[in-house]
Amino acid sequence: MELVIQPGGRVISAQPGANLLETLRAEGVPISHSCMSGRCGTCRCRVVAGEVLESGREIKRTSPHADADGHYVLACMSALTGPCVIEVPEPDEIVTHPARVLKAKVESLDALTHDILRVRLRSPKPLDFSPGQYATLQFTPEHIRPYSMAGIAGDELLEFHVRLVPGGRVSGYVRDTLRPGDAVRVSGPLGTAYLRSRHEGPMLCVAGGTGLAPVMSIVRGSLAAGMTNDIHVYAGARSPQDVYGLEVLRTLADEYPNLHVHSIVASGASVDARPGLVTDAVTADWTDLSGWRSYLCGSPPMVDAAALVATRLGVLPNHIHADAFYDAA
Ligand SMILES: Cc1cc2nc3c(=O)[nH]c(=O)nc-3n(C[C@H](O)[C@H](O)[C@H](O)COP(=O)(O)OP(=O)(O)OC[C@H]3O[C@@H](n4cnc5c(N)ncnc54)[C@H](O)[C@@H]3O)c2cc1C
Ligand code: FES
């Protein structure tokens, strides 16, 4: 049975029933993978022709393009059933951080705004991840949710920004019960909206609310990697009292002239921010984003709207990396 790999058209012969990821790895085809159990999403590839049998998919749809522009499967969860053509992501996108479960402890909890807490965890072992990825935090067996890393691998502490959702079970637990010294299980890394570090064109990073956490990770990660691409961060907040992280970003922008920070508030006047929606600000500022990559992080409606704007302005669908904070309950 023949398996054709795109791009390139390489032909691999495989046994019916063989696992797709194992087959690709055995043949030396570069492909991202981490958890090997359908959770992280990094082994996602596109079935261009033919069929594979996918089982036990756990990953949530965090990208507006996840299934809209083709039939995507998780290679680790897929068995080959007949001849097929599979498109694997470009080699520059390959990440292979081993999935881990770490027993961390809360180092500190502090308020970034009236309803956003910075949670810093100390882990006895390091978590290797790409900027923009997330992890599942288990505070107790009943309090488990995904949160994005706000820092970069190699930082002394793992940092997360948790918005306190009204009536939220887990964010309420974080506010009312979680204290420094408490144990937290960290599982990850997860997610595909990670920094593409070989990209040389400009980057559009759109963050809504705590979507700034993965965007800060991406910004710091790209600067630390020596990337000199122009990076435009559009950080959206509901009102001036919801704005956070600007000082950190502007300090970085003073040091790195390729970083440009745009703060936007949906309502209320602010000397520090433009009024309106992040998507309107992007549309007002740009007419053509061909050759750009975009990273869109935050609430699902904002991410969907920003993905439409980016596509309309010429960003290729496979250059739109989206991390929508779907309600995980
Ligand atoms: C990939 C991924 C990454 C994420 N990263 C972050 C992050 O970095 N920071 C962060 O604060 N959150 C993040 N989230 C969201 C987070 O996982 C939880 O969904 C959120 O904290 C709410 O959980 P809860 O238990 O407090 O609320 P729940 O008890 O699950 O929900 C309570 C109510 O709030 C609504 N609700 C749930 N989530 C939201 C939301 N995000 N906005 C508005 N209303 C909501 C629910 O529909 C429900 O009505 C991420 C989610 C995903 C899928
Ligand atoms: S390696 Fe396939 S989903 Fe994680």
Side-chain angles (χ1 to χ4, degrees):
M1 186 187 97
E2 282 187 349
L3 174 65
V4 180
I5 308 300
Q6 304 274 21
R10 182 174 160 197
V11 179
I12 289 173
S13 107
Q15 292 299 317
N19 176 277
L20 174 57
L21 181 59
E22 279 168 18
T23 306
L24 295 172
R25 290 182 64 200
E27 294 290 333
V29 176
I31 179 161
S32 301
H33 56 276
S34 172
C35 69
M36 315 298 274
S37 59
R39 293 178 57 238
C40 70
T42 50
C43 67
R44 197 171 70 107
C45 47
R46 192 159 78 98
V47 181
V48 178
E51 282 293 327
V52 301
L53 184 67
E54 195 189 19
S55 63
R57 173 188 274 255
E58 282 184 34
I59 182 137
K60 295 205 182 317
R61 177 183 165 275
T62 61
S63 162
H65 291 287
D67 288 307
D69 56 347
H71 173 42
Y72 281 95
V73 294
L74 298 175
C76 68
M77 303 303 288
S78 300
L80 295 163
T81 51
C84 55
V85 181
I86 303 289
E87 184 185 87
V88 296
E90 307 157 38
D92 77 341
E93 299 184 0
I94 304 301
V95 300
T96 54
H97 309 297
R100 318 191 65 162
V101 180
L102 300 171
K103 289 181 186 164
K105 280 209 155 103
V106 178
E107 176 83 8
S108 63
L109 293 157
D110 47 295
L112 292 171
T113 71
H114 64 106
D115 70 351
I116 298 175
L117 275 177
R118 176 169 57 189
V119 179
R120 289 202 275 203
L121 305 179
R122 184 175 292 281
S123 165
K125 291 182 185 159
L127 180 69
D128 197 16
F129 63 92
S130 290
Q133 288 195 292
Y134 65 94
T136 300
L137 300 189
Q138 177 176 333
F139 301 102
T140 76
E142 289 79 40
H143 296 94
I144 308 169
R145 290 283 183 270
Y147 292 102
S148 305
M149 273 74 81
I152 53 176
D155 282 350
E156 191 187 345
L157 301 171
L158 286 167
E159 178 171 324
F160 300 88
H161 301 163
V162 177
R163 187 167 87 81
L164 309 169
V165 173
R169 251 170 56 77
V170 174
S171 57
Y173 178 91
V174 169
R175 176 194 55 205
D176 299 334
T177 314
L178 193 72
R179 293 293 172 259
D182 287 356
V184 181
R185 280 166 83 95
V186 181
S187 315
L190 305 163
T192 56
Y194 50 81
L195 173 69
R196 272 49 178 188
S197 55
R198 294 201 196 163
H199 172 65
E200 290 178 351
M203 292 159 55
L204 171 73
C205 300
V206 182
T210 47
L212 200 55
V215 161
M216 278 181 155
S217 175
I218 286 167
V219 167
R220 279 194 53 215
S222 50
L223 298 175
M227 291 173 71
T228 51
N229 324 35
D230 270 324
I231 308 171
H232 285 269
V233 174
Y234 286 80
R238 287 164 300 179
S239 68
Q241 61 162 354
D242 298 305
V243 173
Y244 81 98
L246 273 191
E247 236 179 80
V248 175
L249 284 171
R250 288 189 172 150
T251 305
L252 282 174
D254 287 342
E255 198 181 333
Y256 298 92
N258 57 318
L259 175 63
H260 313 274
V261 182
H262 313 258
S263 174
I264 294 105
V265 289
S267 64
S270 167
V271 283
D272 236 11
R274 288 158 65 179
L277 300 175
V278 268
T279 40
D280 295 337
V282 173
T283 311
D285 290 356
W286 305 99
T287 50
D288 183 7
L289 300 183
S290 319
W292 289 50
R293 293 235 180 203
S294 68
Y295 300 89
L296 316 173
C297 310
S299 74
M302 190 286 292
V303 165
D304 284 349
L308 269 179
V309 167
T311 309
R312 215 181 292 136
L313 292 174
V315 183
L316 296 173
N318 60 338
H319 287 180
I320 296 178
H321 310 293
D323 195 6
F325 291 180
Y326 283 97
D327 176 358

